[in-house]
Amino acid sequence: MEQQKIILASQSPRRKELLSQLQIPFDVLVKDSGDEIFPDDMPAEEVPVYLAIQKAQPYKTDLDKENFIVITADTIVCCDHHILGKPADKEEAVKMLQMLSGREHEVITGVALTSRSKQQTFTVSTKVFFKDLTLDEIHFYIDNYKPFDKAGAYGIQEWIGMIGIERIEGSYFNVVGLPVQRLYTELNKF
Amino acid sequence: MEQQKIILASQSPRRKELLSQLQIPFDVLVKDSGDEIFPDDMPAEEVPVYLAIQKAQPYKTDLDKENFIVITADTIVCCDHHILGKPADKEEAVKMLQMLSGREHEVITGVALTSRSKQQTFTVSTKVFFKDLTLDEIHFYIDNYKPFDKAGAYGIQEWIGMIGIERIEGSYFNVVGLPVQRLYTELNKF
């Protein structure tokens, strides 16, 4: 990898923590990319990369001036062809966890690496299998962990993930928020 | 679950941390169960439960006196029918990681729940897929993380896991050291 400065374009503390653990120096620079809008008829698995590319737009003027690699990413939770975003309130969080209970869903992250001269994108998907969650477990989790900043209303690294997720297929850290193994490989090739 | 006192019979800080996150009160009590010996011809997948049962033996006198549930566990890393234990030195750690590089292996944990009147055992297995690791990556990891207390010479939650593990099939926390989801279910049924 060339000694280009790496910029993480995310305010997520989980993404910052995960990227730190790769032992690659980087800075965080967050710019507003406006509302996250995508075409209604877009297949769910294409949405995260589409949004990651949108999120890279506001950095174009910086890239003209400096030799950066900007990392933008978007993660969605997809269950039965429904995209679950961040829950607006407790009621919606309960509904999301009831939807995920006792079945499989997918966590899909799209990442864009953008420099002055090129852009590389990739998508990483992980299957997640929840046991049947009781309403007591769902209420206990939401009341104590307030997962309103999390797509699908859960964090795999929190109590509900530990007692509720029977198995995954794919990258664990992708579910936490950033597919670090693939990102490490793509940064080395970039 | 009855209000029986739960005892974690392990000095592993990772197991203690994982069990803490289940939000179930417990104490740690470590007793020496002697050498971990198993029959040469025992299939690898039966070894962890066999050792977990052995580790419960020294607690029998305590169980006569008090209403405990003792949790004992043993984890092995199994690659190509070889059981990898904790590496004795750097040379052995390098050999283990070279063996795991670019292929699939299994992490198998056996757990025994033992009370005065009964014993319940179970085994949880997770498949782990490493990318091709370079010798530079292996040396960097061993020099900086000193994985001599870890079966198979790696921690999935450390740098080598983040840059090297492409995917898993099964429970992530089982690979960290304790299959907490299954343990939660079994404790509730015990």
Side-chain angles (χ1 to χ4, degrees), chain A residues 97 130-131 133-147 150 153-165 172, chain B residues 1 18-25 173 180-181 184 188:
Chain A
L97 289 173
F130 264 106
K131 78 173 185 85
L133 299 170
T134 68
L135 202 53
D136 277 353
E137 288 167 342
I138 289 173
H139 280 285
F140 175 83
Y141 173 65
I142 296 169
D143 291 343
N144 287 281
Y145 292 83
K146 312 206 181 305
K150 294 187 175 69
Y154 77 93
I156 191 172
Q157 71 282 11
E158 294 182 341
W159 181 82
I160 196 87
M162 307 192 85
I163 68 115
I165 293 175
Y172 169 80
Chain B
M1 186 171 11
L18 287 169
L19 189 57
S20 298
Q21 290 182 52
L22 285 188
Q23 311 253 20
I24 297 171
F173 296 111
V180 282
Q181 195 283 318
Y184 171 86
N188 275 311

mmCIF file of all heavy atoms in Angstrom, chain A residues 97 130-131 133-147 150 153-165 172, chain B residues 1 18-25 173 180-181 184 188:
data_model
loop_
_atom_site.group_PDB
_atom_site.id
_atom_site.type_symbol
_atom_site.label_atom_id
_atom_site.label_comp_id
_atom_site.label_asym_id
_atom_site.label_seq_id
_atom_site.Cartn_x
_atom_site.Cartn_y
_atom_site.Cartn_z
ATOM 1 N N LEU A 97 -37.159 -6.567 16.225
ATOM 2 C CA LEU A 97 -36.596 -7.761 16.879
ATOM 3 C C LEU A 97 -37.572 -8.931 16.809
ATOM 4 O O LEU A 97 -37.148 -10.092 16.678
ATOM 5 C CB LEU A 97 -36.193 -7.444 18.323
ATOM 6 C CG LEU A 97 -34.958 -6.532 18.419
ATOM 7 C CD1 LEU A 97 -34.700 -6.096 19.854
ATOM 8 C CD2 LEU A 97 -33.717 -7.241 17.866
ATOM 9 N N PHE A 130 -31.012 -15.818 14.466
ATOM 10 C CA PHE A 130 -31.487 -15.604 15.840
ATOM 11 C C PHE A 130 -32.336 -16.792 16.297
ATOM 12 O O PHE A 130 -33.138 -17.325 15.532
ATOM 13 C CB PHE A 130 -32.374 -14.357 15.923
ATOM 14 C CG PHE A 130 -31.663 -13.101 16.357
ATOM 15 C CD1 PHE A 130 -31.374 -12.104 15.438
ATOM 16 C CD2 PHE A 130 -31.304 -12.907 17.673
ATOM 17 C CE1 PHE A 130 -30.730 -10.937 15.814
ATOM 18 C CE2 PHE A 130 -30.657 -11.749 18.070
ATOM 19 C CZ PHE A 130 -30.372 -10.749 17.139
ATOM 20 N N LYS A 131 -32.188 -17.188 17.556
ATOM 21 C CA LYS A 131 -33.137 -18.111 18.191
ATOM 22 C C LYS A 131 -34.476 -17.399 18.360
ATOM 23 O O LYS A 131 -34.571 -16.188 18.142
ATOM 24 C CB LYS A 131 -32.600 -18.547 19.562
ATOM 25 C CG LYS A 131 -32.796 -17.490 20.659
ATOM 26 C CD LYS A 131 -32.417 -18.020 22.030
ATOM 27 C CE LYS A 131 -32.743 -16.986 23.121
ATOM 28 N NZ LYS A 131 -34.138 -17.041 23.582
ATOM 29 N N LEU A 133 -36.770 -15.309 20.194
ATOM 30 C CA LEU A 133 -36.603 -14.359 21.307
ATOM 31 C C LEU A 133 -37.933 -14.221 22.039
ATOM 32 O O LEU A 133 -38.983 -14.090 21.408
ATOM 33 C CB LEU A 133 -36.169 -12.996 20.770
ATOM 34 C CG LEU A 133 -34.836 -12.942 20.007
ATOM 35 C CD1 LEU A 133 -34.660 -11.583 19.324
ATOM 36 C CD2 LEU A 133 -33.666 -13.226 20.938
ATOM 37 N N THR A 134 -37.885 -14.231 23.372
ATOM 38 C CA THR A 134 -39.115 -13.982 24.129
ATOM 39 C C THR A 134 -39.353 -12.470 24.207
ATOM 40 O O THR A 134 -38.423 -11.670 24.051
ATOM 41 C CB THR A 134 -39.029 -14.537 25.565
ATOM 42 O OG1 THR A 134 -38.063 -13.763 26.295
ATOM 43 C CG2 THR A 134 -38.607 -16.005 25.576
ATOM 44 N N LEU A 135 -40.605 -12.099 24.460
ATOM 45 C CA LEU A 135 -40.914 -10.673 24.578
ATOM 46 C C LEU A 135 -40.179 -10.065 25.774
ATOM 47 O O LEU A 135 -39.729 -8.912 25.722
ATOM 48 C CB LEU A 135 -42.435 -10.487 24.701
ATOM 49 C CG LEU A 135 -42.979 -9.108 24.316
ATOM 50 C CD1 LEU A 135 -42.530 -8.660 22.933
ATOM 51 C CD2 LEU A 135 -44.505 -9.099 24.395
ATOM 52 N N ASP A 136 -40.014 -10.857 26.851
ATOM 53 C CA ASP A 136 -39.227 -10.388 28.000
ATOM 54 C C ASP A 136 -37.792 -10.059 27.594
ATOM 55 O O ASP A 136 -37.228 -9.039 28.021
ATOM 56 C CB ASP A 136 -39.185 -11.470 29.091
ATOM 57 C CG ASP A 136 -40.431 -11.440 29.966
ATOM 58 O OD1 ASP A 136 -41.252 -10.510 29.801
ATOM 59 O OD2 ASP A 136 -40.593 -12.353 30.787
ATOM 60 N N GLU A 137 -37.193 -10.928 26.794
ATOM 61 C CA GLU A 137 -35.807 -10.694 26.357
ATOM 62 C C GLU A 137 -35.710 -9.438 25.494
ATOM 63 O O GLU A 137 -34.796 -8.624 25.641
ATOM 64 C CB GLU A 137 -35.284 -11.918 25.593
ATOM 65 C CG GLU A 137 -35.009 -13.123 26.499
ATOM 66 C CD GLU A 137 -34.793 -14.438 25.745
ATOM 67 O OE1 GLU A 137 -35.181 -14.528 24.544
ATOM 68 O OE2 GLU A 137 -34.274 -15.387 26.352
ATOM 69 N N ILE A 138 -36.688 -9.275 24.589
ATOM 70 C CA ILE A 138 -36.697 -8.104 23.705
ATOM 71 C C ILE A 138 -36.838 -6.810 24.513
ATOM 72 O O ILE A 138 -36.100 -5.849 24.311
ATOM 73 C CB ILE A 138 -37.835 -8.238 22.651
ATOM 74 C CG1 ILE A 138 -37.470 -9.340 21.637
ATOM 75 C CG2 ILE A 138 -38.097 -6.913 21.947
ATOM 76 C CD1 ILE A 138 -38.576 -9.690 20.647
ATOM 77 N N HIS A 139 -37.774 -6.803 25.483
ATOM 78 C CA HIS A 139 -37.963 -5.602 26.307
ATOM 79 C C HIS A 139 -36.744 -5.322 27.181
ATOM 80 O O HIS A 139 -36.301 -4.175 27.301
ATOM 81 C CB HIS A 139 -39.226 -5.736 27.173
ATOM 82 C CG HIS A 139 -40.483 -5.444 26.412
ATOM 83 N ND1 HIS A 139 -40.862 -4.168 26.075
ATOM 84 C CD2 HIS A 139 -41.424 -6.260 25.893
ATOM 85 C CE1 HIS A 139 -42.002 -4.210 25.390
ATOM 86 N NE2 HIS A 139 -42.362 -5.477 25.260
ATOM 87 N N PHE A 140 -36.189 -6.363 27.783
ATOM 88 C CA PHE A 140 -35.002 -6.183 28.628
ATOM 89 C C PHE A 140 -33.879 -5.540 27.814
ATOM 90 O O PHE A 140 -33.217 -4.597 28.257
ATOM 91 C CB PHE A 140 -34.535 -7.528 29.198
ATOM 92 C CG PHE A 140 -33.247 -7.438 29.981
ATOM 93 C CD1 PHE A 140 -33.250 -7.057 31.315
ATOM 94 C CD2 PHE A 140 -32.023 -7.720 29.374
ATOM 95 C CE1 PHE A 140 -32.058 -6.948 32.036
ATOM 96 C CE2 PHE A 140 -30.824 -7.615 30.089
ATOM 97 C CZ PHE A 140 -30.850 -7.231 31.426
ATOM 98 N N TYR A 141 -33.677 -6.063 26.600
ATOM 99 C CA TYR A 141 -32.582 -5.544 25.760
ATOM 100 C C TYR A 141 -32.815 -4.080 25.375
ATOM 101 O O TYR A 141 -31.923 -3.231 25.541
ATOM 102 C CB TYR A 141 -32.420 -6.400 24.506
ATOM 103 C CG TYR A 141 -31.415 -5.804 23.539
ATOM 104 C CD1 TYR A 141 -30.077 -5.693 23.889
ATOM 105 C CD2 TYR A 141 -31.805 -5.316 22.293
ATOM 106 C CE1 TYR A 141 -29.143 -5.119 23.030
ATOM 107 C CE2 TYR A 141 -30.882 -4.751 21.420
ATOM 108 C CZ TYR A 141 -29.562 -4.650 21.793
ATOM 109 O OH TYR A 141 -28.651 -4.077 20.952
ATOM 110 N N ILE A 142 -33.994 -3.779 24.885
ATOM 111 C CA ILE A 142 -34.244 -2.408 24.414
ATOM 112 C C ILE A 142 -34.169 -1.406 25.564
ATOM 113 O O ILE A 142 -33.566 -0.337 25.437
ATOM 114 C CB ILE A 142 -35.602 -2.324 23.681
ATOM 115 C CG1 ILE A 142 -35.570 -3.199 22.423
ATOM 116 C CG2 ILE A 142 -35.929 -0.871 23.309
ATOM 117 C CD1 ILE A 142 -36.915 -3.408 21.774
ATOM 118 N N ASP A 143 -34.749 -1.792 26.726
ATOM 119 C CA ASP A 143 -34.735 -0.876 27.868
ATOM 120 C C ASP A 143 -33.316 -0.612 28.370
ATOM 121 O O ASP A 143 -33.000 0.499 28.804
ATOM 122 C CB ASP A 143 -35.591 -1.443 29.010
ATOM 123 C CG ASP A 143 -37.081 -1.427 28.662
ATOM 124 O OD1 ASP A 143 -37.455 -0.701 27.712
ATOM 125 O OD2 ASP A 143 -37.856 -2.145 29.318
ATOM 126 N N ASN A 144 -32.465 -1.631 28.314
ATOM 127 C CA ASN A 144 -31.132 -1.492 28.897
ATOM 128 C C ASN A 144 -30.067 -1.049 27.904
ATOM 129 O O ASN A 144 -29.041 -0.501 28.306
ATOM 130 C CB ASN A 144 -30.708 -2.803 29.561
ATOM 131 C CG ASN A 144 -31.471 -3.040 30.858
ATOM 132 O OD1 ASN A 144 -31.142 -2.462 31.882
ATOM 133 N ND2 ASN A 144 -32.522 -3.843 30.793
ATOM 134 N N TYR A 145 -30.258 -1.331 26.615
ATOM 135 C CA TYR A 145 -29.194 -1.046 25.637
ATOM 136 C C TYR A 145 -29.575 0.032 24.610
ATOM 137 O O TYR A 145 -28.717 0.492 23.883
ATOM 138 C CB TYR A 145 -28.760 -2.339 24.937
ATOM 139 C CG TYR A 145 -28.053 -3.296 25.867
ATOM 140 C CD1 TYR A 145 -28.757 -4.162 26.696
ATOM 141 C CD2 TYR A 145 -26.655 -3.309 25.936
ATOM 142 C CE1 TYR A 145 -28.102 -5.021 27.560
ATOM 143 C CE2 TYR A 145 -25.993 -4.166 26.792
ATOM 144 C CZ TYR A 145 -26.721 -5.020 27.599
ATOM 145 O OH TYR A 145 -26.074 -5.863 28.464
ATOM 146 N N LYS A 146 -30.862 0.394 24.546
ATOM 147 C CA LYS A 146 -31.337 1.490 23.689
ATOM 148 C C LYS A 146 -30.694 1.458 22.290
ATOM 149 O O LYS A 146 -29.929 2.379 21.937
ATOM 150 C CB LYS A 146 -31.076 2.830 24.395
ATOM 151 C CG LYS A 146 -31.550 2.814 25.861
ATOM 152 C CD LYS A 146 -31.885 4.170 26.384
ATOM 153 C CE LYS A 146 -32.321 4.118 27.852
ATOM 154 N NZ LYS A 146 -33.449 3.177 28.129
ATOM 155 N N PRO A 147 -31.037 0.446 21.497
ATOM 156 C CA PRO A 147 -30.356 0.241 20.212
ATOM 157 C C PRO A 147 -30.919 1.102 19.081
ATOM 158 O O PRO A 147 -31.082 0.619 17.956
ATOM 159 C CB PRO A 147 -30.614 -1.246 19.951
ATOM 160 C CG PRO A 147 -31.981 -1.486 20.542
ATOM 161 C CD PRO A 147 -32.053 -0.599 21.765
ATOM 162 N N LYS A 150 -28.828 1.649 15.805
ATOM 163 C CA LYS A 150 -28.372 0.431 15.140
ATOM 164 C C LYS A 150 -29.422 -0.086 14.150
ATOM 165 O O LYS A 150 -30.579 -0.305 14.512
ATOM 166 C CB LYS A 150 -28.074 -0.651 16.186
ATOM 167 C CG LYS A 150 -26.899 -0.289 17.092
ATOM 168 C CD LYS A 150 -26.517 -1.434 17.990
ATOM 169 C CE LYS A 150 -25.275 -1.086 18.788
ATOM 170 N NZ LYS A 150 -25.537 -0.030 19.799
ATOM 171 N N ALA A 153 -32.065 -2.746 14.953
ATOM 172 C CA ALA A 153 -32.316 -2.613 16.399
ATOM 173 C C ALA A 153 -31.518 -3.588 17.267
ATOM 174 O O ALA A 153 -31.952 -3.951 18.360
ATOM 175 C CB ALA A 153 -33.828 -2.731 16.703
ATOM 176 N N TYR A 154 -30.341 -4.010 16.794
ATOM 177 C CA TYR A 154 -29.513 -4.836 17.689
ATOM 178 C C TYR A 154 -28.033 -4.653 17.387
ATOM 179 O O TYR A 154 -27.647 -4.287 16.272
ATOM 180 C CB TYR A 154 -29.881 -6.326 17.580
ATOM 181 C CG TYR A 154 -29.332 -7.012 16.330
ATOM 182 C CD1 TYR A 154 -28.099 -7.672 16.356
ATOM 183 C CD2 TYR A 154 -30.029 -6.985 15.129
ATOM 184 C CE1 TYR A 154 -27.590 -8.297 15.222
ATOM 185 C CE2 TYR A 154 -29.520 -7.594 13.988
ATOM 186 C CZ TYR A 154 -28.302 -8.252 14.042
ATOM 187 O OH TYR A 154 -27.799 -8.842 12.918
ATOM 188 N N GLY A 155 -27.214 -4.916 18.401
ATOM 189 C CA GLY A 155 -25.769 -5.017 18.228
ATOM 190 C C GLY A 155 -25.352 -6.441 18.549
ATOM 191 O O GLY A 155 -25.674 -6.955 19.626
ATOM 192 N N ILE A 156 -24.660 -7.090 17.616
ATOM 193 C CA ILE A 156 -24.270 -8.494 17.816
ATOM 194 C C ILE A 156 -23.343 -8.637 19.019
ATOM 195 O O ILE A 156 -23.309 -9.683 19.669
ATOM 196 C CB ILE A 156 -23.605 -9.076 16.542
ATOM 197 C CG1 ILE A 156 -23.434 -10.597 16.627
ATOM 198 C CG2 ILE A 156 -22.272 -8.399 16.240
ATOM 199 C CD1 ILE A 156 -22.968 -11.261 15.336
ATOM 200 N N GLN A 157 -22.602 -7.549 19.323
ATOM 201 C CA GLN A 157 -21.628 -7.592 20.416
ATOM 202 C C GLN A 157 -22.270 -7.295 21.767
ATOM 203 O O GLN A 157 -21.593 -7.304 22.785
ATOM 204 C CB GLN A 157 -20.481 -6.614 20.118
ATOM 205 C CG GLN A 157 -20.846 -5.133 20.230
ATOM 206 C CD GLN A 157 -21.618 -4.601 19.012
ATOM 207 O OE1 GLN A 157 -22.068 -5.354 18.156
ATOM 208 N NE2 GLN A 157 -21.790 -3.287 18.961
ATOM 209 N N GLU A 158 -23.588 -7.016 21.768
ATOM 210 C CA GLU A 158 -24.289 -6.697 23.012
ATOM 211 C C GLU A 158 -25.060 -7.919 23.525
ATOM 212 O O GLU A 158 -25.082 -8.963 22.891
ATOM 213 C CB GLU A 158 -25.246 -5.511 22.765
ATOM 214 C CG GLU A 158 -24.479 -4.234 22.434
ATOM 215 C CD GLU A 158 -25.394 -3.032 22.236
ATOM 216 O OE1 GLU A 158 -26.609 -3.227 22.003
ATOM 217 O OE2 GLU A 158 -24.888 -1.899 22.305
ATOM 218 N N TRP A 159 -25.731 -7.742 24.670
ATOM 219 C CA TRP A 159 -26.408 -8.846 25.347
ATOM 220 C C TRP A 159 -27.304 -9.662 24.421
ATOM 221 O O TRP A 159 -27.247 -10.897 24.417
ATOM 222 C CB TRP A 159 -27.227 -8.284 26.524
ATOM 223 C CG TRP A 159 -27.955 -9.318 27.325
ATOM 224 C CD1 TRP A 159 -27.436 -10.099 28.315
ATOM 225 C CD2 TRP A 159 -29.331 -9.682 27.194
ATOM 226 N NE1 TRP A 159 -28.414 -10.931 28.823
ATOM 227 C CE2 TRP A 159 -29.583 -10.688 28.145
ATOM 228 C CE3 TRP A 159 -30.379 -9.263 26.377
ATOM 229 C CZ2 TRP A 159 -30.843 -11.281 28.302
ATOM 230 C CZ3 TRP A 159 -31.624 -9.847 26.525
ATOM 231 C CH2 TRP A 159 -31.843 -10.843 27.477
ATOM 232 N N ILE A 160 -28.094 -8.984 23.603
ATOM 233 C CA ILE A 160 -29.041 -9.708 22.730
ATOM 234 C C ILE A 160 -28.310 -10.590 21.722
ATOM 235 O O ILE A 160 -28.794 -11.666 21.355
ATOM 236 C CB ILE A 160 -29.986 -8.712 22.005
ATOM 237 C CG1 ILE A 160 -31.216 -9.415 21.423
ATOM 238 C CG2 ILE A 160 -29.266 -7.949 20.904
ATOM 239 C CD1 ILE A 160 -32.360 -9.556 22.366
ATOM 240 N N GLY A 161 -27.133 -10.142 21.276
ATOM 241 C CA GLY A 161 -26.331 -10.953 20.359
ATOM 242 C C GLY A 161 -25.772 -12.176 21.057
ATOM 243 O O GLY A 161 -25.710 -13.267 20.474
ATOM 244 N N MET A 162 -25.384 -11.994 22.322
ATOM 245 C CA MET A 162 -24.755 -13.098 23.051
ATOM 246 C C MET A 162 -25.763 -14.163 23.439
ATOM 247 O O MET A 162 -25.458 -15.354 23.398
ATOM 248 C CB MET A 162 -24.036 -12.557 24.271
ATOM 249 C CG MET A 162 -23.082 -11.444 23.873
ATOM 250 S SD MET A 162 -21.947 -10.982 25.164
ATOM 251 C CE MET A 162 -20.669 -12.186 24.919
ATOM 252 N N ILE A 163 -26.971 -13.746 23.845
ATOM 253 C CA ILE A 163 -27.960 -14.756 24.264
ATOM 254 C C ILE A 163 -28.817 -15.219 23.083
ATOM 255 O O ILE A 163 -29.425 -16.282 23.143
ATOM 256 C CB ILE A 163 -28.887 -14.225 25.394
ATOM 257 C CG1 ILE A 163 -29.809 -13.100 24.859
ATOM 258 C CG2 ILE A 163 -28.103 -13.741 26.595
ATOM 259 C CD1 ILE A 163 -31.250 -13.479 24.870
ATOM 260 N N GLY A 164 -28.846 -14.422 22.012
ATOM 261 C CA GLY A 164 -29.838 -14.689 20.974
ATOM 262 C C GLY A 164 -29.324 -15.237 19.657
ATOM 263 O O GLY A 164 -30.073 -15.898 18.933
ATOM 264 N N ILE A 165 -28.054 -14.949 19.307
ATOM 265 C CA ILE A 165 -27.583 -15.351 17.977
ATOM 266 C C ILE A 165 -26.937 -16.732 18.054
ATOM 267 O O ILE A 165 -25.898 -16.920 18.681
ATOM 268 C CB ILE A 165 -26.626 -14.292 17.391
ATOM 269 C CG1 ILE A 165 -27.427 -13.008 17.116
ATOM 270 C CG2 ILE A 165 -25.972 -14.807 16.098
ATOM 271 C CD1 ILE A 165 -26.600 -11.836 16.655
ATOM 272 N N TYR A 172 -17.868 -11.830 11.152
ATOM 273 C CA TYR A 172 -18.459 -11.282 12.383
ATOM 274 C C TYR A 172 -18.338 -9.757 12.410
ATOM 275 O O TYR A 172 -19.294 -9.043 12.718
ATOM 276 C CB TYR A 172 -17.755 -11.899 13.598
ATOM 277 C CG TYR A 172 -18.074 -11.234 14.910
ATOM 278 C CD1 TYR A 172 -19.267 -11.517 15.585
ATOM 279 C CD2 TYR A 172 -17.212 -10.308 15.486
ATOM 280 C CE1 TYR A 172 -19.571 -10.901 16.791
ATOM 281 C CE2 TYR A 172 -17.499 -9.694 16.690
ATOM 282 C CZ TYR A 172 -18.686 -9.998 17.337
ATOM 283 O OH TYR A 172 -18.982 -9.386 18.527
ATOM 284 N N MET B 1 -34.717 -20.573 35.358
ATOM 285 C CA MET B 1 -33.542 -21.048 36.088
ATOM 286 C C MET B 1 -33.748 -20.832 37.595
ATOM 287 O O MET B 1 -34.129 -19.750 38.017
ATOM 288 C CB MET B 1 -32.328 -20.258 35.594
ATOM 289 C CG MET B 1 -31.020 -20.716 36.138
ATOM 290 S SD MET B 1 -29.623 -19.892 35.302
ATOM 291 C CE MET B 1 -30.434 -18.591 34.372
ATOM 292 N N LEU B 18 -16.871 -12.929 29.016
ATOM 293 C CA LEU B 18 -18.021 -13.359 28.211
ATOM 294 C C LEU B 18 -19.206 -13.719 29.101
ATOM 295 O O LEU B 18 -20.346 -13.337 28.829
ATOM 296 C CB LEU B 18 -17.633 -14.548 27.326
ATOM 297 C CG LEU B 18 -16.724 -14.214 26.137
ATOM 298 C CD1 LEU B 18 -16.185 -15.489 25.495
ATOM 299 C CD2 LEU B 18 -17.475 -13.387 25.097
ATOM 300 N N LEU B 19 -18.936 -14.465 30.186
ATOM 301 C CA LEU B 19 -20.038 -14.863 31.071
ATOM 302 C C LEU B 19 -20.648 -13.635 31.752
ATOM 303 O O LEU B 19 -21.867 -13.553 31.930
ATOM 304 C CB LEU B 19 -19.543 -15.894 32.098
ATOM 305 C CG LEU B 19 -20.628 -16.554 32.954
ATOM 306 C CD1 LEU B 19 -21.688 -17.248 32.113
ATOM 307 C CD2 LEU B 19 -20.010 -17.553 33.934
ATOM 308 N N SER B 20 -19.799 -12.656 32.097
ATOM 309 C CA SER B 20 -20.296 -11.402 32.700
ATOM 310 C C SER B 20 -21.328 -10.740 31.805
ATOM 311 O O SER B 20 -22.331 -10.201 32.279
ATOM 312 C CB SER B 20 -19.158 -10.400 32.895
ATOM 313 O OG SER B 20 -18.194 -10.898 33.760
ATOM 314 N N GLN B 21 -21.083 -10.791 30.504
ATOM 315 C CA GLN B 21 -21.959 -10.084 29.574
ATOM 316 C C GLN B 21 -23.326 -10.750 29.416
ATOM 317 O O GLN B 21 -24.244 -10.165 28.850
ATOM 318 C CB GLN B 21 -21.262 -9.919 28.220
ATOM 319 C CG GLN B 21 -20.108 -8.928 28.310
ATOM 320 C CD GLN B 21 -19.436 -8.701 26.976
ATOM 321 O OE1 GLN B 21 -20.066 -8.406 25.972
ATOM 322 N NE2 GLN B 21 -18.126 -8.867 26.954
ATOM 323 N N LEU B 22 -23.474 -11.987 29.917
ATOM 324 C CA LEU B 22 -24.801 -12.624 29.919
ATOM 325 C C LEU B 22 -25.693 -12.042 31.010
ATOM 326 O O LEU B 22 -26.884 -12.338 31.057
ATOM 327 C CB LEU B 22 -24.678 -14.134 30.141
ATOM 328 C CG LEU B 22 -24.181 -14.981 28.978
ATOM 329 C CD1 LEU B 22 -24.334 -16.457 29.346
ATOM 330 C CD2 LEU B 22 -24.968 -14.682 27.713
ATOM 331 N N GLN B 23 -25.105 -11.239 31.901
ATOM 332 C CA GLN B 23 -25.871 -10.603 32.990
ATOM 333 C C GLN B 23 -26.455 -11.629 33.958
ATOM 334 O O GLN B 23 -27.571 -11.442 34.470
ATOM 335 C CB GLN B 23 -27.004 -9.732 32.427
ATOM 336 C CG GLN B 23 -26.549 -8.798 31.337
ATOM 337 C CD GLN B 23 -26.482 -7.354 31.805
ATOM 338 O OE1 GLN B 23 -26.421 -7.073 33.003
ATOM 339 N NE2 GLN B 23 -26.483 -6.445 30.866
ATOM 340 N N ILE B 24 -25.733 -12.714 34.174
ATOM 341 C CA ILE B 24 -26.112 -13.717 35.167
ATOM 342 C C ILE B 24 -25.051 -13.660 36.267
ATOM 343 O O ILE B 24 -23.861 -13.715 35.952
ATOM 344 C CB ILE B 24 -26.128 -15.131 34.547
ATOM 345 C CG1 ILE B 24 -27.187 -15.221 33.452
ATOM 346 C CG2 ILE B 24 -26.349 -16.191 35.599
ATOM 347 C CD1 ILE B 24 -27.125 -16.508 32.635
ATOM 348 N N PRO B 25 -25.460 -13.517 37.545
ATOM 349 C CA PRO B 25 -24.453 -13.435 38.610
ATOM 350 C C PRO B 25 -23.685 -14.762 38.738
ATOM 351 O O PRO B 25 -24.280 -15.835 38.623
ATOM 352 C CB PRO B 25 -25.271 -13.184 39.879
ATOM 353 C CG PRO B 25 -26.650 -12.865 39.426
ATOM 354 C CD PRO B 25 -26.829 -13.450 38.060
ATOM 355 N N PHE B 173 -18.588 -16.214 19.506
ATOM 356 C CA PHE B 173 -18.118 -16.184 20.893
ATOM 357 C C PHE B 173 -17.545 -17.543 21.323
ATOM 358 O O PHE B 173 -16.724 -17.607 22.229
ATOM 359 C CB PHE B 173 -19.236 -15.713 21.831
ATOM 360 C CG PHE B 173 -19.653 -14.291 21.552
ATOM 361 C CD1 PHE B 173 -20.896 -14.002 21.016
ATOM 362 C CD2 PHE B 173 -18.781 -13.246 21.789
ATOM 363 C CE1 PHE B 173 -21.265 -12.701 20.730
ATOM 364 C CE2 PHE B 173 -19.130 -11.936 21.506
ATOM 365 C CZ PHE B 173 -20.383 -11.657 20.979
ATOM 366 N N VAL B 180 -21.581 -18.716 24.492
ATOM 367 C CA VAL B 180 -22.493 -18.098 25.450
ATOM 368 C C VAL B 180 -23.968 -18.279 25.104
ATOM 369 O O VAL B 180 -24.804 -18.379 26.006
ATOM 370 C CB VAL B 180 -22.186 -16.593 25.639
ATOM 371 C CG1 VAL B 180 -20.988 -16.409 26.546
ATOM 372 C CG2 VAL B 180 -21.990 -15.885 24.312
ATOM 373 N N GLN B 181 -24.292 -18.313 23.810
ATOM 374 C CA GLN B 181 -25.711 -18.453 23.458
ATOM 375 C C GLN B 181 -26.221 -19.816 23.917
ATOM 376 O O GLN B 181 -27.242 -19.918 24.590
ATOM 377 C CB GLN B 181 -25.898 -18.255 21.950
ATOM 378 C CG GLN B 181 -27.345 -18.015 21.526
ATOM 379 C CD GLN B 181 -28.177 -19.280 21.514
ATOM 380 O OE1 GLN B 181 -27.716 -20.322 21.077
ATOM 381 N NE2 GLN B 181 -29.393 -19.186 22.021
ATOM 382 N N TYR B 184 -26.369 -20.040 27.746
ATOM 383 C CA TYR B 184 -27.560 -19.337 28.268
ATOM 384 C C TYR B 184 -28.784 -20.246 28.187
ATOM 385 O O TYR B 184 -29.558 -20.382 29.142
ATOM 386 C CB TYR B 184 -27.754 -18.065 27.455
ATOM 387 C CG TYR B 184 -29.034 -17.296 27.684
ATOM 388 C CD1 TYR B 184 -29.135 -16.354 28.709
ATOM 389 C CD2 TYR B 184 -30.135 -17.477 26.849
ATOM 390 C CE1 TYR B 184 -30.302 -15.634 28.897
ATOM 391 C CE2 TYR B 184 -31.304 -16.750 27.030
ATOM 392 C CZ TYR B 184 -31.382 -15.834 28.056
ATOM 393 O OH TYR B 184 -32.539 -15.118 28.245
ATOM 394 N N ASN B 188 -30.725 -22.074 31.395
ATOM 395 C CA ASN B 188 -32.160 -21.853 31.603
ATOM 396 C C ASN B 188 -32.943 -23.157 31.716
ATOM 397 O O ASN B 188 -33.981 -23.209 32.383
ATOM 398 C CB ASN B 188 -32.744 -20.995 30.477
ATOM 399 C CG ASN B 188 -32.553 -19.519 30.739
ATOM 400 O OD1 ASN B 188 -32.857 -19.026 31.819
ATOM 401 N ND2 ASN B 188 -32.024 -18.817 29.762
#
